């Protein structure tokens, strides 16, 4: 049977129509609701995957959900630091940032990565606007851990007024996690941390962290050890036990903070799976790790 065969087409069409129909309750549930999506550098590996993510974001917006994108760009920052012979050092899952590194982080995130995402989303028919935490003082920062990691910042305030008009007009904000202090010092804020704080400040329904791993694993070498559903106190235990470490630490911590401030659910999902976002939002199946609870 070829694709042109009428019976084949009929089957194909009825599958498509039934999938759409099954999505109706989810579309209704998320219509007018805010979904903060952290798009990790590690999940931006291939052009085709990137395009699938942009299409999912455009679809979410077209059916009435309000996606807000916060992005990282670790691999691309590493690439440019290497080109410029600047060493990278990670501690506690965070990039230790001196002023030289900060310049590269700001250039890569707000210039290359942000505009690539904005362009990609716009190309598939939605309207997005790129900005960073410095624009309109969206994200105010102070030094993380009293300055122990140089110019790594933590967020002291989110001025969500900056993005409210964009969201209400149907634009998708695409935010790079570069922020400034009241005195104008520029900080490198981990994008997971920024996404969690933004989700809490704008009353998001969901926080979704797209990354390059299945979710939280008990044992990183065993994909069968994926934790599908977990409550806050157990996440804290996993951090204490060192099962959650490296880049997963800021993710777990930002989920804890976002949930404690009223976000209903946080999800850590595998951005390497095509259409991971739609699978998470529009199906019962859900993928990755779902974190719930208030404390
Ligand atoms: N328990 C765990 N389960 C799964 N992954 C873990 C765990 N503990 C640590 N990790 C690490 O966390 C990494 C994900 O964080 P990482 O910071 O590398 O990616 P990202 O946040 O998506 O990208 P970026 O930082 O560029 O935005 C995984 O690739 C894995 O190496
Ligand atoms: Mg990270």
């Amino acid at each position: 049977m070829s694709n042109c065969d009428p019976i084949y087409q009929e089957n194909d069409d009825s599958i498509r129509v039934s999938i759409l129909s099954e999505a109706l309750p989810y579309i209704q549930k998320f219509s007018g609701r805010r979904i903060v999506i952290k798009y990790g550098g590690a999940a931006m590996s291939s052009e085709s995957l990137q395009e699938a993510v942009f299409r999912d974001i455009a679809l979410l917006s077209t059916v009435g959900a309000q996606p807000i994108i916060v992005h990282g760009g670790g691999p691309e920052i590493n690439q440019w630091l290497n080109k410029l012979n600047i060493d990278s050092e990670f501690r506690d899952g965070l990039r230790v940032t001196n002023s030289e590194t900060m310049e590269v982080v700001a250039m890569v995130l707000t210039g290359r990565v942000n505009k690539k995402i904005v362009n990609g989303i716009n190309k598939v028919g939605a309207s997005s606007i790129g900005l960073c935490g410095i624009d309109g003082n969206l994200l105010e920062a102070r030094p993380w851990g009293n300055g122990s990691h140089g110019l790594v910042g933590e967020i002291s305030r989110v001025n969500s007024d900056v993005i409210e008009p964009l969201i209400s007009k149907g634009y998708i904000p695409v935010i790079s996690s570069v922020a400034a202090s009241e005195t104008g010092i520029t900080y490198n804020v981990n994008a997971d941390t920024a996404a969690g704080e933004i989700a809490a400040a704008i009353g998001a329904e969901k926080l979704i962290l797209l990354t390059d791993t299945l979710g939280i694993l008990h044992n990183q070498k065993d994909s069968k050890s994926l934790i599908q559903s977990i409550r806050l106190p157990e996440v804290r235990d996993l951090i204490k036990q060192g099962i959650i470490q490296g880049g997963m630490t800021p993710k777990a911590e930002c989920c804890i903070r976002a949930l404690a401030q009223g976000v209903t659910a946080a999800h850590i999902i595998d951005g390497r799976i095509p259409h991971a976002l739609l699978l998470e939002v529009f199906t019962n199946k859900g993928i990755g790790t779902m974190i719930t609870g208030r404390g």
Side-chain angles (χ1 to χ4, degrees):
M1 192 157 55
S2 81
N3 276 8
C4 304
D5 191 305
I7 298 171
Y8 181 94
Q9 277 188 353
E10 212 171 286
N11 284 342
D12 216 27
D13 286 347
S14 66
I15 291 168
R16 200 171 294 142
V17 168
S18 78
I19 291 170
L20 266 175
S21 172
E22 276 165 30
L24 180 64
Y26 298 98
I27 293 174
Q28 287 168 328
K29 181 173 171 201
F30 289 106
S31 178
R33 300 293 169 92
R34 290 151 181 212
I35 302 176
V36 173
I37 299 161
K38 190 276 177 143
Y39 187 25
M44 296 173 181
S45 52
S46 83
E47 295 278 329
S48 64
L49 265 183
Q50 283 176 23
E51 172 148 356
V53 172
F54 300 149
R55 292 180 71 89
D56 290 359
I57 292 168
L59 195 145
L60 283 172
S61 166
T62 306
V63 300
Q66 297 177 330
I68 292 102
I69 317 304
V70 181
H71 67 87
E76 190 141 355
I77 294 169
N78 290 341
Q79 212 179 304
W80 281 92
L81 288 172
N82 280 341
K83 276 190 202 174
L84 297 165
N85 283 324
I86 302 171
D87 290 335
S88 300
E89 185 196 343
F90 282 88
R91 249 188 277 146
D92 309 306
L94 301 169
R95 183 189 300 279
V96 178
T97 306
N98 61 20
S99 57
E100 208 180 18
T101 304
M102 186 64 238
E103 274 191 41
V104 177
V105 168
M107 285 193 289
V108 173
L109 288 185
T110 66
R112 280 183 68 85
V113 181
N114 187 278
K115 295 313 156 208
K116 198 194 274 180
I117 298 172
V118 170
N119 200 4
I121 296 174
N122 292 352
K123 211 171 75 181
V124 292
S127 290
S128 63
I129 290 192
L131 64 174
C132 78
I134 304 173
D135 293 291
N137 295 318
L138 170 61
L139 305 174
E140 287 177 17
R142 60 180 170 231
W144 189 91
N146 288 325
S148 57
H149 292 47
L151 292 169
V152 172
E154 63 181 22
I155 296 192
S156 49
R157 203 175 120 105
V158 178
N159 296 308
S160 51
D161 287 356
V162 180
I163 49 174
E164 287 294 345
L166 302 178
I167 299 170
S168 65
K169 290 256 183 225
Y171 289 106
I172 302 169
V174 177
I175 303 164
S176 359
S177 57
V178 171
S181 67
E182 274 179 328
T183 55
I185 299 169
T186 307
Y187 286 97
N188 172 22
V189 178
N190 178 274
D192 300 310
T193 313
E197 295 298 325
I198 291 169
I202 64 168
E205 182 78 18
K206 260 185 198 288
L207 167 65
I208 302 181
L209 308 173
L210 269 177
T211 185
D212 68 341
T213 175
L214 291 172
I216 302 177
L217 298 164
H218 253 293
N219 171 359
Q220 282 187 59
K221 293 197 181 108
D222 178 8
S223 61
K224 291 200 191 78
S225 71
L226 173 69
I227 300 169
Q228 289 181 316
S229 174
I230 188 168
R231 292 184 63 81
L232 279 191
E234 299 162 54
V235 178
R236 292 198 182 94
D237 289 344
L238 293 182
I239 297 174
K240 273 191 216 135
Q241 291 160 20
I243 290 170
I244 288 177
Q245 39 158 285
M248 193 54 72
T249 310
K251 288 186 206 312
E253 281 170 352
C254 85
C255 292
I256 293 173
R257 284 182 58 79
L259 291 170
Q261 293 179 79
V263 174
T264 316
H267 303 259
I268 299 173
I269 64 171
D270 192 344
R272 298 167 305 178
I273 300 173
H275 302 295
L277 271 176
L278 296 189
L279 284 168
E280 184 52 60
V281 179
F282 290 139
T283 70
N284 249 338
K285 211 165 86 187
I287 51 171
T289 302
M290 175 169 80
I291 309 175
T292 53
R294 288 260 163 111

